[in-house]
């Protein structure tokens, strides 16, 4: 392994508890995390630094409530591919920024794409663009209405 490549971080119980707290509140102060975990602030800080340095922890993010995101339309698109062209289809799908994530799957559908657009006109356009990609045999899209 090259010298500049960090070693893979091995999570222990403390790391998992710390990450669980951060997943609930990524902006929690170090002092609050230390208090909850019953350790010193320097212990929390050194663990965070180690996880960030190793790449085990990629960063911190803000989550926005659905009702603050404005008029966004979210959907899940299931995609069936013909032949052995999965790599080519994925390459073409990644060129569409409206497809936030593309997942390979098992079962009837080969891929599942997470779609996010601002309007029904954009939604219609992206559905047409996806269906025009070579080797996409079939697709089925469901708009996401409310998260429960």
């Amino acid at each position: 392994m090259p010298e500049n490549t960090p070693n893979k971080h091995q999570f222990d119980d403390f790391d998992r508890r710390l990450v669980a707290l951060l997943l609930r509140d990524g902006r929690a102060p170090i002092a609050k995390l230390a208090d909850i975990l019953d350790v010193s602030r320097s212990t929390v800080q050194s663990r965070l630094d180690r996880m960030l340095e190793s790449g085990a922890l990629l960063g911190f993010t803000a989550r926005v409530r659905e009702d603050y995101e404005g008029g966004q339309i979210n959907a899940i698109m299931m995609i069936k591919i013909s032949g052995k062209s999965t790599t080519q289809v994925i390459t073409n799908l990644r060129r569409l920024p409206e497809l936030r994530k593309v997942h390979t799957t098992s079962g009837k559908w080969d891929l599942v794409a997470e779609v996010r657009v601002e309007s029904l006109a954009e939604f219609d356009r992206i559905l047409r663009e996806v269906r025009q990609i070579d080797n996409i045999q079939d697709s089925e899209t469901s708009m996401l209405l409310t998260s429960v």
Side-chain angles (χ1 to χ4, degrees), residues 70-127:
Q72 291 185 341
I73 296 168
N74 296 295
I76 297 294
M77 176 184 283
M78 286 76 67
I79 301 167
K80 186 171 190 136
I81 299 171
S82 61
K84 297 180 181 183
S85 55
T86 304
T87 302
Q88 173 195 358
V89 170
I90 290 171
T91 298
N92 287 322
L93 291 172
R94 284 187 176 152
R95 293 185 181 128
L96 302 171
E98 297 86 355
L99 302 185
R100 307 289 283 206
K101 291 183 181 177
V102 177
H103 309 273
T104 58
T105 64
S106 62
K108 177 181 176 183
W109 302 101
D110 299 303
L111 302 172
V112 173
E114 297 178 26
V115 180
R116 181 175 289 169
V117 293
E118 296 292 327
S119 68
L120 287 175
E122 281 187 69
F123 185 67
D124 183 49
R125 177 189 54 78
I126 201 67
L127 292 181

Side-chain angles (χ1 to χ4, degrees), residues 56-71:
L57 185 61
L58 299 175
F60 305 88
T61 186
R63 295 182 314 161
V64 179
R65 280 184 12 192
E66 285 180 36
D67 55 343
Y68 283 111
E69 291 183 341

